[in-house]
Amino acid sequence: MTSPDLKASLRDLYITAAKEVDVGNGRKAIILYVPYKLRKSFNKVHQRLVRELEKKFSGRHVMIIAQRTILGKSFRRNQKTSGPLPRSRTLTAVQDAILEDIVYPTEITGKRTRVKVDGKRVLKVFLDSKDQVDVEGRTDTFAAVYGKLTNKQVSFYFQ
C-alpha cells in the first residue's frame, strides 16, 4: 500500500478469500471475505481501504463481508457444550448480516418483504437518505451481489 497510515492499521488484519462476481452489463464486483472476529477492525478502516482498492481495480466495486457459519436444523451439540442452536448461526440471521455487510457504512432503516401474485418474494430495503449521494450509484451492485450470495431478490430505496 502506498499510504503509510493505512498500512499501519492493516498490519494485523488479513483476508481469507476474494471472489469476483459479475453484476451485469459487463461490470464486475470484488468481494473480500474477512474472518468474523476481525469484522470490527476492518470496519474502522473500511472507507479508506475500499477507496484505495477501487482505485487499484478500476471500474469494479469492492465489498468487505465477514465470513459467517450457517448451522442446519439438525445441528447437534456434543457432551461438553449443550444448549439450543445459536440464533446468530441460522440461515436468516446470516443472510441479514450479509446484507448489512454489503451496504456498510450506510445504515438500513427498514425492510419489507413483498410477495408478488406469482409467488416471487422481493425484499425492499430502505437505506438512510443522508448517504444517498455516496451510495446511489452502487445500489445495482449491492442487489446483484446479494442475489448471487443468497439467491434472494432485493431492491434498495432511500428513506
Side-chain angles (χ1 to χ4, degrees):
M1 286 300 215
T2 54
S3 56
D5 59 328
L6 191 59
K7 190 174 186 179
S9 57
L10 290 176
R11 188 175 316 279
D12 299 329
L13 305 178
Y14 60 94
I15 296 167
T16 55
K19 185 178 184 181
E20 190 172 48
V21 176
D22 184 34
V23 294
N25 298 336
R27 295 176 304 153
K28 296 189 185 255
I30 297 172
I31 303 171
L32 301 177
Y33 290 100
V34 299
Y36 178 77
K37 289 187 175 188
L38 296 178
R39 174 181 53 98
K40 289 185 180 176
S41 302
F42 268 101
N43 284 349
K44 290 176 186 172
V45 294
H46 184 275
Q47 288 179 315
R48 289 184 294 161
L49 180 62
V50 167
R51 192 178 323 114
E52 290 293 323
L53 288 172
E54 285 181 351
K55 278 187 214 170
K56 184 170 175 127
F57 303 112
S58 59
R60 296 186 181 127
H61 290 134
V62 177
M63 285 166 223
I64 299 173
I65 298 176
Q67 220 164 14
R68 292 177 169 84
T69 306
I70 299 172
L71 299 175
K73 287 185 177 183
S74 63
F75 173 71
R76 295 291 238 170
R77 293 282 192 159
N78 59 17
Q79 291 284 332
K80 294 178 185 173
T81 57
S82 61
L85 169 75
R87 293 289 173 219
S88 63
R89 306 287 201 299
T90 61
L91 177 69
T92 309
V94 169
Q95 289 180 346
D96 286 344
I98 287 173
L99 184 61
E100 300 244 345
D101 286 348
I102 287 174
V103 300
Y104 188 84
T106 306
E107 283 190 31
I108 296 173
T109 57
K111 289 185 216 168
R112 305 282 183 274
T113 302
R114 177 162 186 238
V115 182
K116 294 185 176 181
V117 179
D118 61 352
K120 289 185 181 175
R121 292 173 179 254
V122 178
L123 183 66
K124 293 170 97 175
V125 177
F126 297 97
L127 302 175
D128 200 355
S129 60
K130 69 178 181 191
D131 299 324
Q132 185 170 358
V133 177
D134 302 331
V135 177
E136 200 159 25
R138 301 169 65 102
T139 55
D140 296 337
T141 306
F142 291 165
V145 168
Y146 188 71
K148 294 272 187 195
L149 295 177
T150 63
N151 289 329
K152 286 188 174 180
Q153 194 175 6
V154 67
S155 56
F156 293 95
Y157 302 95
F158 293 96
Q159 190 177 31

